[in-house]
Amino acid sequence: MDELKVVKSSCRMCHGGCGALVHVKDGDVVKVTGDPDSPMNKGRLCPKGAASIELLHHPDRLKYPMRRLGARGEGRWERISWDEALDSIVVKLKEIIEDLGAESIGIGQGTGRRHFDYVVRFANALGTPNWCEPGCAQCFIPRLNANMLTLGMPFVPDYFGEVHPQYVLAWGHNPLVTGPDGEIQFTLRDSIERGSKLIVVDPRLSETAQKAEIWLQLRPGTDDALALSMLNVMITEELYDREFVEEWTSGFDQLSERVERYTPEWAEEITWVPADQIRLAARTFAQAKPATLDWGVAFEHTPNCFQTARAIAMLPVLTGNIDVPGGLITGMLPMGIFPYLAERLSEDARAKRLGADEFKVLGANGVSLPMPAAHIPAMLKAMRTGEPYPVKAFLIFGSNPLVTYANPREVLESLAALDLLVVMDIFMTPTAEMADIVLPAATWLEADGVQGYPIAVDVHVFAQQRVVRLWESRQDEEVMIELARRLGLEAGTEPLEEILDRRLKGLGLSFEQLKDRGSVSVPLAYRKYEQMKMFLTPSGKVELYSSVLEGLGYDPLPYYEEPPESPLSTPELLEDYPLILITGGRVPYFFHSEHRQVPKLRRRHPDPIVQVHPETAGRLGITEGDWIWIETRRGKIRQKASLTEGIDPRVVHVEHGWWFPEEESPEHGVWTSNANLLTDNGPPYDPAMGTYQLRALLCRVYKT
Ligand SMILES: Nc1nc2c(c(=O)[nH]1)N[C@H]1C(S)=C(S)[C@@H](COP(=O)(O)OP(=O)(O)OC[C@H]3O[C@@H](n4cnc5c(=O)[nH]c(N)nc54)[C@H](O)[C@@H]3O)O[C@H]1N2
Ligand SMILES: Nc1nc2c(c(=O)[nH]1)N[C@H]1C(S)=C(S)[C@@H](COP(=O)(O)OP(=O)(O)OC[C@H]3O[C@@H](n4cnc5c(=O)[nH]c(N)nc54)[C@H](O)[C@@H]3O)O[C@H]1N2
Ligand code: SF4
Ligand SMILES: [Mo]
């Protein structure tokens, strides 16, 4: 019998960020605990992290590569070898490249996984501009790009230094549950314990809103109006940091002129938030020193998201909370930029990116980000119709589009039209059931990687290490490298370890050395713009008036726009659909469509829950625990009612990500409770990002 060995790694049941101790005996993992030495989680794990081992050993995992038998989506499979799987994929890809060009191959991936950058790299090496992720237009990238354009760098709340924020403005965000992008839920929790107070902007009394000093319960989808009116208060009441604004920003006068019309009284009508509350929040935030912004995904689910992100980003700018202790901090970036191989993608290929002509900030055009992405609705259309050119193959590395993309019926139709669908996943999902070939993916306990946290700022760099390998699973990066080799590509073929070592060079470490240490931290440096004597924007200032947006033909200043389906935009729908629908507020036990098959987690949250105000429920004869229909113009689903005073009587909230692994193959109940049967992926989109509307829609609810 082997000795018990304890290995340092980093959990990846979400976007990651928690240091973990993996206890290994006789070649298998026997326990996973939080690493007490980890600067991020200090020994703690959330329920998902604590269930890692159940996921690892789950009997329903995909164990071998498989090829479909019979018709697509019939649910019959045969086991094949990795060689057979990879060779048959390569044969088909070569055929497509020869006939139509590499752009006819689409590559999909899910949200912020360990292998995120490698997918972009593989697409570049292959020569296709058409990779996508359900988050590119809908999650994180709008915020990231708004930061890049306005400030020249990504910024995150400083929960990591000696000074803690006096106030945290949590906007459309429930970080005590979600803690995305390696900010993890524990960092805010610790900050609250050290005395931080909260202002929370959320239509629901979320776990985070429950801790708030000031809770702004806005009408869903009106974040732009609220942010603009807070800017109005800060400017008209001269609450801004005059010195910072004068020295380090450009366009303040134009901004002042723009927001003049957006008074708190104007905003009250639109947002439902009383004008005096808006004033209180703006004054409190402006007078707190330091104060930080912790923003979330909620406003990226409506089509004015980019200008909304710009407006919200200006709140900490005007109050001088940029790159100061306890405010917002920016990149140490000790690993430099990932080797994306962007130079491999020809101008010609770049121009063919689906959506590139229309959505100029969805990716790199005009913005210094090396990861342009395809527009998902355009990609689906190319699969279905061959317009503007056909997409014939789709390789998915860890995403579940039938559940997580808007309009899953159209997704199904699009996937069904492909010549080749490959899905690499840990489980047989409803999407994987549509594939020609499925590939078994390694869980985080079976994979090597390095990741800086918080993502895009990299204060702490963690190793994730492969401690076991069950069945025939492989990690996604290895598969992409192997495909590149078999396709005879000129780049993207080096072994993974070589890239991991290269990434750590600037830190003076090899991957082997980082594995021993678990993580390294870089000292925090503040006010880097003073040393550089500039922000990394074209004018060298924080661009309140964005020269880049102006150059691209967009409004250089933020503005208000109603969501396309709302009580104000489509009042004619109110008679049939009188309630406002929000979808996808996260729950602690699942990550999107994952983990419904993990008993320890599912027991804690067995059913999809729709939240309804008791007054609304009473009127409709709905009682606690009833299964009810939620219906929009596009479809209807069932979820189980939970009555709560913590939501406005005019608003209901459904969970996203639901399918039922325990139900019959191949559908696994994907059409029963899937929130995206209610959403739409059609226009109008955010003009800069191509964002579609996942929240703030109109619906009705009734008993089943
Ligand atoms: N209505 C509505 N829809 C939404 C949202 C919402 O709020 N409301 N949120 C949106 C947002 S913000 C996002 S980011 C997207 C997320 O969308 P997705 O990323 O598509 O969501 P997941 O359910 O996480 O899908 C990931 C799949 O990858 C598998 N997987 C996990 N780890 C690995 C791995 O290492 N390798 C491989 N190959 N597979 C792996 C999982 O088993 C799962 O099947 O959903 C979006 N959809
Ligand atoms: N446990 C768990 N953690 C996760 C995930 C998960 O699936 N499960 N997903 C990860 C991913 S990819 C993401 S993007 C993040 C998302 O994490 P967050 O950014 O925290 O987003 P959500 O929980 O979707 O929504 C946050 C809050 O927004 C509110 N909201 C809804 N509509 C609006 C609106 O119009 N305006 C405003 N201001 N608020 C609104 C909701 O009521 C909710 O409480 O979480 C990450 N972490
Ligand atoms: S917050 Fe994320 S990284 Fe931390 S334990 Fe939970 S799942 Fe793992
Ligand atoms: Mo996301």
Side-chain angles (χ1 to χ4, degrees), residues 523-596:
L524 288 165
Y526 297 100
R527 293 196 173 86
K528 295 178 282 295
Y529 57 88
E530 283 181 352
Q531 281 150 30
M532 292 189 292
K533 298 196 168 50
M534 67 181 297
F535 281 88
L536 300 174
T537 58
S539 62
K541 306 265 182 177
V542 178
E543 295 203 350
L544 302 171
Y545 183 99
S546 168
S547 61
V548 178
L549 282 183
E550 184 173 43
L552 293 172
Y554 296 116
D555 197 324
L557 291 165
Y559 56 85
Y560 154 73
E561 193 167 279
E562 260 302 293
E565 183 178 297
S566 86
L568 300 191
S569 304
T570 51
E572 70 281 7
L573 295 178
L574 282 177
E575 198 176 326
D576 289 334
Y577 303 99
L579 299 168
I580 301 180
L581 173 72
I582 48 180
T583 74
R586 302 338 185 205
V587 296
Y589 309 105
F590 307 125
F591 197 68
H592 298 289
S593 73
E594 286 192 73
H595 306 142
R596 306 303 188 283

Coordinates of all heavy atoms in Angstrom, one line a residue, residues 523-596:
P523 N 4.0 41.0 -5.8 CA 3.6 42.1 -4.9 C 2.7 43.0 -5.6 O 2.8 43.3 -6.8 CB 5.0 42.7 -4.6 CG 6.0 42.1 -5.5 CD 5.4 40.9 -6.1
L524 N 1.7 43.6 -4.9 CA 0.8 44.5 -5.5 C 1.5 45.8 -5.7 O 2.2 46.3 -4.8 CB -0.4 44.7 -4.6 CG -1.4 43.5 -4.5 CD1 -2.3 43.7 -3.3 CD2 -2.2 43.4 -5.8
A525 N 1.3 46.4 -6.9 CA 1.8 47.7 -7.2 C 0.7 48.6 -7.5 O -0.2 48.2 -8.3 CB 2.8 47.7 -8.3
Y526 N 0.6 49.8 -7.0 CA -0.5 50.7 -7.2 C -0.1 51.9 -8.1 O 1.1 52.2 -8.2 CB -1.1 51.2 -5.9 CG -1.7 50.0 -5.1 CD1 -1.0 49.5 -4.0 CD2 -2.9 49.5 -5.4 CE1 -1.5 48.4 -3.3 CE2 -3.4 48.4 -4.7 CZ -2.7 47.9 -3.6 OH -3.3 46.9 -2.9
R527 N -1.0 52.7 -8.5 CA -0.8 53.9 -9.3 C 0.3 53.7 -10.4 O 1.2 54.6 -10.5 CB -0.5 55.1 -8.4 CG -1.6 55.4 -7.5 CD -1.4 56.8 -6.9 NE -2.6 57.2 -6.1 CZ -2.9 56.9 -4.9 NH1 -2.1 56.1 -4.2 NH2 -4.0 57.3 -4.3
K528 N 0.2 52.6 -11.1 CA 1.2 52.4 -12.1 C 1.2 53.4 -13.2 O 2.1 53.6 -13.9 CB 1.0 50.9 -12.7 CG 1.3 49.9 -11.6 CD 1.0 48.5 -12.1 CE -0.4 48.1 -12.1 NZ -1.1 48.0 -10.8
Y529 N 0.0 54.0 -13.4 CA -0.1 55.0 -14.5 C 0.8 56.3 -14.1 O 1.2 57.0 -15.0 CB -1.6 55.5 -14.6 CG -2.3 56.0 -13.4 CD1 -2.2 57.3 -13.0 CD2 -3.0 55.1 -12.5 CE1 -2.8 57.8 -11.9 CE2 -3.6 55.6 -11.4 CZ -3.5 56.9 -11.1 OH -4.1 57.4 -9.9
E530 N 1.0 56.5 -12.9 CA 1.9 57.6 -12.5 C 3.4 57.3 -13.0 O 4.0 58.2 -13.5 CB 1.9 57.9 -11.0 CG 0.6 58.6 -10.6 CD 0.6 58.9 -9.1 OE1 1.4 58.5 -8.4 OE2 -0.4 59.7 -8.8
Q531 N 3.8 56.1 -12.8 CA 5.1 55.7 -13.2 C 5.2 55.7 -14.8 O 6.1 56.2 -15.4 CB 5.5 54.3 -12.8 CG 6.0 54.2 -11.4 CD 5.6 52.9 -10.8 OE1 5.6 51.9 -11.5 NE2 5.4 52.9 -9.5
M532 N 4.1 55.1 -15.4 CA 4.1 55.1 -16.8 C 3.8 56.5 -17.4 O 4.0 56.7 -18.6 CB 3.0 54.1 -17.3 CG 3.3 52.7 -17.0 SD 2.1 51.6 -17.8 CE 0.6 52.0 -17.0
K533 N 3.3 57.4 -16.6 CA 2.9 58.7 -17.0 C 1.8 58.6 -18.0 O 1.6 59.5 -18.9 CB 4.1 59.5 -17.6 CG 5.2 59.8 -16.5 CD 6.1 60.9 -17.0 CE 7.0 61.4 -15.9 NZ 7.8 60.4 -15.2
M534 N 1.0 57.5 -18.0 CA -0.1 57.4 -19.0 C -1.0 56.2 -18.6 O -0.6 55.3 -17.9 CB 0.4 57.2 -20.4 CG 1.2 55.9 -20.6 SD 1.8 55.7 -22.3 CE 0.3 55.7 -23.3
F535 N -2.2 56.3 -19.1 CA -3.0 55.1 -19.2 C -2.8 54.5 -20.6 O -2.5 55.3 -21.6 CB -4.5 55.4 -19.0 CG -4.8 55.6 -17.5 CD1 -4.7 56.8 -16.9 CD2 -5.3 54.5 -16.8 CE1 -5.0 56.9 -15.5 CE2 -5.6 54.6 -15.5 CZ -5.4 55.8 -14.8
L536 N -3.0 53.2 -20.8 CA -2.7 52.6 -22.1 C -3.9 52.8 -23.1 O -4.3 51.8 -23.7 CB -2.4 51.1 -21.9 CG -1.2 50.9 -21.0 CD1 -0.9 49.4 -20.8 CD2 0.1 51.5 -21.6
T537 N -4.3 54.0 -23.3 CA -5.3 54.4 -24.3 C -4.7 55.3 -25.3 O -3.6 55.8 -25.1 CB -6.5 55.1 -23.6 OG1 -5.9 56.3 -23.0 CG2 -7.2 54.3 -22.6
P538 N -5.3 55.5 -26.4 CA -4.7 56.4 -27.5 C -4.3 57.8 -26.9 O -3.3 58.3 -27.3 CB -5.8 56.5 -28.5 CG -6.6 55.2 -28.4 CD -6.6 54.9 -26.9
S539 N -5.1 58.3 -26.0 CA -4.8 59.7 -25.5 C -3.9 59.6 -24.3 O -3.5 60.7 -23.8 CB -6.1 60.4 -25.2 OG -6.8 59.7 -24.2
G540 N -3.7 58.4 -23.8 CA -2.9 58.3 -22.6 C -3.7 58.7 -21.3 O -3.2 58.6 -20.2
K541 N -5.0 59.0 -21.5 CA -5.8 59.4 -20.3 C -6.9 58.3 -20.2 O -7.2 57.5 -21.2 CB -6.5 60.7 -20.6 CG -5.5 61.8 -20.9 CD -5.2 62.6 -19.7 CE -4.2 63.7 -20.1 NZ -3.9 64.6 -19.1
V542 N -7.7 58.3 -19.1 CA -8.9 57.5 -19.1 C -9.9 58.2 -20.0 O -10.2 59.4 -19.8 CB -9.4 57.5 -17.6 CG1 -10.7 56.8 -17.6 CG2 -8.4 57.0 -16.6
E543 N -10.3 57.5 -21.0 CA -11.1 58.1 -22.0 C -12.6 58.0 -21.7 O -13.3 57.1 -22.1 CB -10.8 57.4 -23.4 CG -9.4 57.7 -23.8 CD -9.2 57.6 -25.3 OE1 -10.1 57.2 -26.1 OE2 -8.1 58.0 -25.8
L544 N -13.1 59.0 -21.0 CA -14.6 59.1 -20.8 C -15.3 59.2 -22.1 O -16.3 58.6 -22.4 CB -14.9 60.3 -19.8 CG -14.2 60.3 -18.5 CD1 -14.4 61.6 -17.7 CD2 -14.7 59.1 -17.6
Y545 N -14.7 60.0 -23.0 CA -15.1 60.2 -24.4 C -14.1 59.3 -25.1 O -12.9 59.5 -25.2 CB -14.9 61.6 -24.8 CG -15.4 61.9 -26.2 CD1 -16.7 62.5 -26.4 CD2 -14.6 61.7 -27.3 CE1 -17.1 62.8 -27.7 CE2 -15.0 62.0 -28.6 CZ -16.3 62.5 -28.8 OH -16.7 62.8 -30.0
S546 N -14.7 58.2 -25.7 CA -13.8 57.2 -26.3 C -13.4 57.5 -27.7 O -14.3 57.4 -28.6 CB -14.4 55.8 -26.2 OG -13.7 54.9 -27.0
S547 N -12.1 57.7 -28.0 CA -11.7 58.0 -29.3 C -11.8 56.7 -30.2 O -12.1 56.8 -31.4 CB -10.3 58.5 -29.3 OG -9.4 57.6 -28.8
V548 N -11.6 55.6 -29.6 CA -11.7 54.3 -30.3 C -13.1 54.1 -30.8 O -13.3 53.8 -32.0 CB -11.1 53.1 -29.5 CG1 -11.2 51.9 -30.3 CG2 -9.7 53.4 -29.1
L549 N -14.0 54.3 -29.9 CA -15.4 54.0 -30.3 C -15.8 55.0 -31.4 O -16.5 54.6 -32.3 CB -16.4 54.2 -29.1 CG -16.5 53.0 -28.1 CD1 -17.5 53.3 -27.0 CD2 -16.8 51.7 -28.8
E550 N -15.4 56.2 -31.2 CA -15.7 57.2 -32.2 C -15.2 56.8 -33.6 O -15.9 56.8 -34.6 CB -15.1 58.6 -31.8 CG -15.5 59.7 -32.8 CD -15.0 61.1 -32.3 OE1 -13.9 61.1 -31.8 OE2 -15.8 62.0 -32.3
G551 N -13.9 56.3 -33.6 CA -13.3 55.9 -34.8 C -14.0 54.7 -35.5 O -14.0 54.5 -36.7
L552 N -14.6 53.9 -34.6 CA -15.3 52.7 -35.1 C -16.8 53.0 -35.6 O -17.5 52.2 -36.0 CB -15.4 51.6 -34.1 CG -14.0 50.9 -33.7 CD1 -14.2 50.0 -32.5 CD2 -13.5 50.2 -34.9
G553 N -17.2 54.3 -35.3 CA -18.5 54.7 -35.7 C -19.6 54.5 -34.7 O -20.8 54.6 -35.0
Y554 N -19.1 54.3 -33.4 CA -20.1 54.2 -32.3 C -20.1 55.4 -31.5 O -19.2 56.2 -31.6 CB -19.7 53.0 -31.4 CG -19.8 51.6 -32.1 CD1 -18.6 50.9 -32.2 CD2 -21.0 51.1 -32.6 CE1 -18.6 49.6 -32.9 CE2 -21.0 49.9 -33.2 CZ -19.8 49.1 -33.3 OH -19.9 47.9 -33.9
D555 N -21.2 55.6 -30.7 CA -21.3 56.7 -29.8 C -20.1 56.7 -28.8 O -19.9 55.7 -28.1 CB -22.6 56.7 -29.1 CG -23.0 58.1 -28.5 OD1 -22.0 58.8 -28.0 OD2 -24.1 58.4 -28.4
P556 N -19.3 57.8 -28.8 CA -18.2 57.8 -27.9 C -18.5 58.0 -26.4 O -17.7 57.9 -25.5 CB -17.3 59.0 -28.4 CG -18.2 59.8 -29.3 CD -19.3 58.9 -29.7
L557 N -19.8 58.3 -26.2 CA -20.3 58.5 -24.8 C -21.5 57.5 -24.5 O -22.2 57.2 -25.4 CB -20.8 59.9 -24.6 CG -19.7 61.0 -24.7 CD1 -20.4 62.4 -24.9 CD2 -18.9 61.0 -23.4
P558 N -21.6 57.1 -23.2 CA -22.7 56.2 -22.9 C -24.0 56.8 -23.0 O -24.2 58.0 -22.8 CB -22.3 55.8 -21.5 CG -21.5 56.8 -20.9 CD -20.8 57.4 -22.1
Y559 N -25.0 56.0 -23.3 CA -26.4 56.5 -23.4 C -27.4 55.5 -22.9 O -27.0 54.3 -22.8 CB -26.7 56.9 -24.8 CG -26.5 55.8 -25.8 CD1 -27.5 54.9 -26.1 CD2 -25.3 55.7 -26.5 CE1 -27.3 53.8 -27.0 CE2 -25.1 54.7 -27.5 CZ -26.1 53.7 -27.7 OH -25.9 52.7 -28.6
Y560 N -28.6 55.9 -22.7 CA -29.7 55.0 -22.2 C -30.4 54.4 -23.4 O -30.7 55.1 -24.4 CB -30.6 55.7 -21.3 CG -32.0 55.2 -21.3 CD1 -32.3 54.0 -20.6 CD2 -33.1 55.9 -21.9 CE1 -33.6 53.5 -20.6 CE2 -34.4 55.4 -21.9 CZ -34.6 54.2 -21.2 OH -35.9 53.7 -21.2
E561 N -30.8 53.1 -23.4 CA -31.6 52.5 -24.4 C -32.4 51.4 -23.7 O -31.9 50.6 -23.0 CB -30.8 51.9 -25.5 CG -31.7 51.6 -26.7 CD -30.8 51.3 -27.9 OE1 -30.4 52.3 -28.6 OE2 -30.5 50.2 -28.2
E562 N -33.8 51.4 -23.9 CA -34.6 50.4 -23.4 C -34.3 49.0 -24.0 O -33.9 49.0 -25.2 CB -36.1 50.7 -23.7 CG -36.9 51.3 -22.7 CD -37.0 50.5 -21.4 OE1 -37.6 49.4 -21.3 OE2 -36.5 51.0 -20.4
P563 N -34.3 47.9 -23.2 CA -34.2 46.6 -23.8 C -35.3 46.5 -24.9 O -36.4 47.0 -24.7 CB -34.5 45.7 -22.6 CG -34.2 46.4 -21.4 CD -34.5 47.9 -21.7
P564 N -35.1 45.7 -25.9 CA -36.0 45.7 -27.0 C -37.4 45.0 -26.7 O -38.4 45.3 -27.3 CB -35.3 44.8 -28.1 CG -34.2 44.2 -27.4 CD -33.8 45.0 -26.2
E565 N -37.4 44.2 -25.7 CA -38.7 43.6 -25.2 C -38.9 44.1 -23.8 O -38.2 43.5 -22.9 CB -38.8 42.1 -25.4 CG -40.1 41.5 -25.0 CD -40.2 40.0 -25.2 OE1 -40.0 39.5 -26.3 OE2 -40.3 39.3 -24.2
S566 N -39.8 45.0 -23.5 CA -39.9 45.5 -22.1 C -41.2 46.3 -22.0 O -41.9 46.6 -23.1 CB -38.7 46.5 -21.8 OG -39.0 47.8 -22.3
P567 N -41.7 46.6 -20.8 CA -42.9 47.3 -20.7 C -43.0 48.6 -21.5 O -44.0 49.1 -21.9 CB -43.0 47.6 -19.2 CG -42.1 46.6 -18.5 CD -41.1 46.3 -19.5
L568 N -41.8 49.3 -21.6 CA -41.8 50.5 -22.4 C -41.6 50.3 -23.9 O -42.2 51.1 -24.7 CB -40.6 51.5 -21.9 CG -40.7 51.9 -20.4 CD1 -39.7 53.0 -20.1 CD2 -42.1 52.3 -20.0
S569 N -40.8 49.3 -24.3 CA -40.6 49.1 -25.7 C -41.7 48.4 -26.4 O -42.0 48.7 -27.6 CB -39.3 48.3 -26.0 OG -38.2 48.8 -25.4
T570 N -42.3 47.5 -25.7 CA -43.4 46.7 -26.3 C -44.6 46.7 -25.4 O -45.0 45.6 -25.0 CB -42.9 45.3 -26.6 OG1 -42.3 44.7 -25.4 CG2 -41.9 45.2 -27.7
P571 N -45.2 47.8 -25.1 CA -46.4 47.9 -24.2 C -47.5 47.0 -24.7 O -48.3 46.5 -23.9 CB -46.7 49.3 -24.1 CG -46.1 50.0 -25.3 CD -44.9 49.2 -25.7
E572 N -47.6 46.8 -26.0 CA -48.7 46.0 -26.6 C -48.6 44.6 -26.1 O -49.6 43.8 -26.2 CB -48.7 46.1 -28.1 CG -47.5 45.4 -28.9 CD -46.2 46.2 -28.9 OE1 -46.1 47.2 -28.2 OE2 -45.2 45.7 -29.5
L573 N -47.5 44.1 -25.6 CA -47.4 42.7 -25.2 C -47.8 42.6 -23.7 O -48.0 41.4 -23.3 CB -45.9 42.2 -25.3 CG -45.3 42.1 -26.7 CD1 -43.9 41.7 -26.6 CD2 -46.1 41.1 -27.5
L574 N -48.0 43.7 -23.0 CA -48.2 43.6 -21.6 C -49.5 42.9 -21.2 O -49.6 42.2 -20.2 CB -48.2 45.0 -20.9 CG -46.8 45.6 -20.7 CD1 -47.0 47.0 -20.2 CD2 -46.0 44.7 -19.8
E575 N -50.5 43.0 -22.0 CA -51.8 42.3 -21.7 C -51.6 40.8 -21.6 O -52.0 40.1 -20.7 CB -52.8 42.6 -22.8 CG -54.2 42.3 -22.3 CD -55.3 42.7 -23.3 OE1 -55.0 43.7 -24.0 OE2 -56.3 42.0 -23.4
D576 N -50.8 40.2 -22.6 CA -50.6 38.8 -22.6 C -49.4 38.4 -21.7 O -49.4 37.3 -21.1 CB -50.3 38.3 -24.0 CG -51.6 38.3 -24.8 OD1 -52.7 38.2 -24.2 OD2 -51.5 38.4 -26.0
Y577 N -48.4 39.3 -21.6 CA -47.2 38.9 -20.9 C -46.9 40.1 -19.9 O -46.0 40.9 -20.2 CB -46.0 38.7 -21.9 CG -46.3 37.7 -22.9 CD1 -46.7 38.0 -24.2 CD2 -46.1 36.3 -22.6 CE1 -47.0 37.0 -25.1 CE2 -46.4 35.3 -23.5 CZ -46.8 35.7 -24.8 OH -47.1 34.7 -25.7
P578 N -47.5 40.1 -18.8 CA -47.5 41.2 -17.9 C -46.3 41.3 -17.0 O -46.0 42.3 -16.3 CB -48.8 41.1 -17.1 CG -49.1 39.6 -17.1 CD -48.5 39.1 -18.3
L579 N -45.5 40.2 -16.9 CA -44.4 40.2 -15.9 C -43.0 40.3 -16.6 O -42.9 39.9 -17.8 CB -44.5 38.8 -15.1 CG -45.8 38.6 -14.3 CD1 -45.9 37.2 -13.8 CD2 -45.8 39.6 -13.1
I580 N -42.1 40.8 -15.8 CA -40.7 40.8 -16.4 C -39.9 39.6 -15.9 O -39.9 39.3 -14.7 CB -40.0 42.1 -15.9 CG1 -40.8 43.3 -16.4 CG2 -38.6 42.2 -16.5 CD1 -40.3 44.7 -16.0
L581 N -39.3 39.0 -16.9 CA -38.5 37.7 -16.6 C -37.0 38.0 -16.5 O -36.4 38.5 -17.4 CB -38.8 36.8 -17.7 CG -38.0 35.5 -17.7 CD1 -38.5 34.5 -16.6 CD2 -38.1 34.8 -19.1
I582 N -36.4 37.5 -15.4 CA -35.0 37.4 -15.4 C -34.6 36.0 -15.3 O -35.3 35.2 -14.7 CB -34.3 38.3 -14.3 CG1 -35.0 38.1 -12.9 CG2 -34.4 39.8 -14.6 CD1 -34.4 38.9 -11.8
T583 N -33.5 35.6 -15.9 CA -33.1 34.2 -15.9 C -31.6 34.1 -15.4 O -30.9 35.1 -15.5 CB -33.0 33.6 -17.4 OG1 -31.9 34.2 -18.1 CG2 -34.3 33.9 -18.1
G584 N -31.3 33.0 -14.8 CA -29.9 32.7 -14.7 C -29.2 33.2 -13.4 O -28.0 33.1 -13.4
G585 N -29.9 33.8 -12.4 CA -29.2 34.1 -11.2 C -28.6 32.7 -10.7 O -29.3 31.7 -10.6
R586 N -27.3 32.7 -10.3 CA -26.6 31.4 -10.0 C -27.1 30.9 -8.7 O -27.4 31.7 -7.7 CB -25.1 31.6 -10.0 CG -24.4 32.1 -11.3 CD -25.1 32.0 -12.5 NE -24.3 32.4 -13.7 CZ -24.8 32.8 -14.8 NH1 -26.1 32.9 -15.0 NH2 -23.9 33.1 -15.8
V587 N -27.0 29.6 -8.5 CA -27.2 28.9 -7.2 C -25.8 28.3 -6.8 O -25.0 28.0 -7.7 CB -28.3 27.9 -7.3 CG1 -29.6 28.5 -7.6 CG2 -28.0 26.8 -8.3
P588 N -25.6 28.1 -5.5 CA -24.3 27.7 -5.1 C -23.9 26.3 -5.5 O -22.7 25.9 -5.5 CB -24.4 27.7 -3.5 CG -25.7 28.4 -3.2 CD -26.5 28.4 -4.4
Y589 N -24.9 25.4 -5.9 CA -24.6 24.0 -6.0 C -24.3 23.6 -7.5 O -23.9 22.4 -7.7 CB -25.7 23.2 -5.5 CG -26.0 23.7 -4.1 CD1 -27.2 24.4 -3.8 CD2 -25.2 23.4 -3.0 CE1 -27.4 24.9 -2.6 CE2 -25.4 23.9 -1.8 CZ -26.6 24.6 -1.5 OH -26.8 25.1 -0.3
F590 N -24.5 24.4 -8.4 CA -24.3 24.0 -9.8 C -23.5 25.1 -10.5 O -23.5 26.3 -10.2 CB -25.6 23.9 -10.6 CG -26.6 23.0 -9.9 CD1 -27.9 23.5 -9.6 CD2 -26.3 21.7 -9.6 CE1 -28.8 22.6 -9.0 CE2 -27.2 20.8 -9.0 CZ -28.5 21.3 -8.7
F591 N -22.7 24.7 -11.6 CA -22.1 25.6 -12.5 C -22.8 25.5 -13.8 O -22.7 24.5 -14.5 CB -20.6 25.3 -12.6 CG -19.8 26.4 -13.1 CD1 -19.6 27.5 -12.4 CD2 -19.2 26.3 -14.4 CE1 -18.8 28.6 -12.9 CE2 -18.4 27.3 -14.9 CZ -18.2 28.5 -14.2
H592 N -23.6 26.5 -14.1 CA -24.4 26.5 -15.4 C -25.2 25.2 -15.5 O -25.9 24.8 -14.6 CB -23.5 26.8 -16.6 CG -22.9 28.1 -16.5 ND1 -23.7 29.3 -16.7 CD2 -21.7 28.5 -16.3 CE1 -22.9 30.3 -16.6 NE2 -21.7 29.9 -16.3
S593 N -24.9 24.4 -16.6 CA -25.7 23.2 -16.8 C -25.0 22.0 -16.2 O -25.5 20.9 -16.4 CB -25.9 23.0 -18.3 OG -24.7 22.6 -18.9
E594 N -24.0 22.2 -15.4 CA -23.2 21.1 -14.9 C -23.8 20.6 -13.5 O -24.6 21.4 -12.9 CB -21.8 21.5 -14.6 CG -21.0 21.6 -15.9 CD -19.5 21.8 -15.5 OE1 -18.9 20.8 -15.1 OE2 -19.0 22.9 -15.7
H595 N -23.3 19.5 -13.1 CA -23.4 19.0 -11.7 C -24.8 18.5 -11.3 O -25.0 18.1 -10.2 CB -23.0 20.1 -10.7 CG -21.6 20.6 -11.0 ND1 -21.3 21.9 -10.8 CD2 -20.5 20.0 -11.5 CE1 -20.0 22.1 -11.2 NE2 -19.5 20.9 -11.6
R596 N -25.8 18.4 -12.3 CA -27.1 17.9 -11.9 C -27.0 16.4 -11.6 O -27.9 15.8 -11.0 CB -28.1 18.1 -13.0 CG -28.3 19.6 -13.5 CD -28.7 20.5 -12.4 NE -29.1 21.8 -12.8 CZ -28.3 22.8 -13.2 NH1 -27.0 22.6 -13.3 NH2 -28.8 24.0 -13.5

